[in-house]
Amino acid sequence: MNHFNIAIDGPSGAGKSTIAKALSSKLGISYLDTGALYRAVGLKAYRDGWEENDEIVSRLLGLVDIKVSYDEEGKQHVYLDGEDVSTAIRQDFVSGYGSRFSALPSVRKALLDLQRRVASEYSSVLDGRDIGTSVLPNAKYKIYLTASPEIRAKRRYDELIAKGQTVEFDKVLADINERDFRDMNRAISPLKKADDAVEINSDNMSIEEVIKFVVEMINENV
Ligand code: DC
């Protein structure tokens, strides 16, 4: 198959990264988790106590170095000023920082090139919020993966409980609703379905069913 990209957008907890990873290994293409880049900015903002001010952040971002590389197993690593922050960015509080700072035009602009470079160099699947609408409007395949907030919160809650953490379902649901609202209502590149994206609601579908559906869609369209 020639060079092509797959854009997967949708709210947090819809299963984007699981589907994207599975597609990347089934189709032998690269995977870029773009949320990790926004999380790296969020982590830097938290550590250095940045204000949510576009002009100031724009200047500060000029001094920050964010890079992505892949290990022998194909796992993505994100580097913040040379430090591998791939684990640090998964902390729960970083989600909120990533979401808040991702609304700033300077942050979106700073991360755009990196995303487009990966996508133009390699056939890739990218997951995020604005891949189909803004980063790769010409992606060959576009998927909008969603699920109800309650189902997404339940999946996240089960995940945290399985890790031995003490959490309340209502708090997990409130966090998801808050993040959805911010990601969908920001002025620049808000989360929304691209007109030409195929929408999949995974409320009543297993991960395997979603993967099968997407692989069939891609194979029919080669
Ligand atoms: O997918 P995630 O939860 O790791 O993303 C963290 C935050 O980054 C998310 O709340 C919104 C932002 N984000 C974005 O604005 N655009 C993207 N393409 C990916 C993530």
Side-chain angles (χ1 to χ4, degrees):
M1 222 191 273
N2 291 333
H3 178 278
F4 68 98
N5 294 126
I6 306 174
I8 305 184
D9 291 305
S12 56
K16 298 186 298 295
S17 65
T18 310
I19 304 298
K21 275 183 210 154
L23 287 176
S24 137
S25 82
K26 266 189 195 300
L27 302 170
I29 60 176
S30 301
Y31 165 46
L32 181 65
D33 163 10
T34 66
L37 308 176
Y38 290 94
R39 284 170 180 267
V41 172
L43 181 64
K44 178 75 180 166
Y46 161 75
R47 285 179 173 174
D48 291 5
W50 286 4
E51 226 184 278
E52 270 170 75
N53 173 310
D54 195 48
E55 224 180 288
I56 300 175
V57 169
S58 170
R59 260 183 285 126
L60 292 170
L61 272 175
L63 309 169
V64 177
D65 180 36
I66 294 176
K67 284 204 174 71
V68 168
S69 75
Y70 297 89
D71 62 22
E72 313 82 62
E73 280 142 32
K75 189 172 173 293
Q76 174 178 311
H77 289 257
V78 179
Y79 294 84
L80 176 61
D81 295 327
E83 174 194 348
D84 186 345
V85 292
S86 313
T87 304
I89 58 171
R90 295 296 148 201
Q91 297 170 93
D92 238 13
F93 73 89
V94 180
S95 313
Y97 276 86
S99 174
R100 274 167 37 213
F101 280 82
S102 72
L104 299 180
S106 56
V107 174
R108 307 213 69 82
K109 186 162 170 276
L111 297 178
L112 191 59
D113 267 3
L114 174 53
Q115 299 173 72
R116 287 191 174 151
R117 223 177 319 124
V118 171
S120 71
E121 234 169 276
Y122 314 100
S123 284
S124 324
V125 49
L126 282 78
D127 76 1
R129 304 293 187 286
D130 63 337
I131 310 302
T133 52
S134 160
V135 179
L136 303 175
N138 297 319
K140 181 159 185 193
Y141 304 102
K142 293 186 188 179
I143 292 148
Y144 189 79
L145 184 62
T146 185
S148 70
E150 289 74 18
I151 295 272
R152 289 184 281 127
K154 175 74 169 67
R155 291 176 188 159
R156 180 75 188 135
Y157 174 81
D158 290 346
E159 223 174 81
L160 293 169
I161 294 290
K163 279 188 194 162
Q165 296 188 20
T166 319
V167 279
E168 277 175 37
F169 176 78
D170 287 351
K171 167 82 171 69
V172 177
L173 179 59
D175 282 351
I176 286 209
N177 279 326
E178 191 188 320
R179 201 136 72 94
D180 280 1
F181 183 84
R182 217 170 20 226
D183 294 346
M184 290 173 176
N185 291 284
R186 65 178 174 228
I188 300 188
S189 305
L191 165 64
K192 68 171 182 175
K193 179 187 162 302
D195 291 339
D196 52 351
V198 173
E199 179 162 345
I200 303 172
N201 184 312
S202 70
D203 272 0
N204 297 308
M205 287 172 92
S206 66
I207 290 290
E208 290 70 29
E209 284 170 327
V210 177
I211 295 169
K212 187 165 173 281
F213 179 90
V214 178
V215 169
E216 277 171 12
M217 179 185 117
I218 289 169
N219 285 338
E220 276 164 24
N221 213 330
V222 256

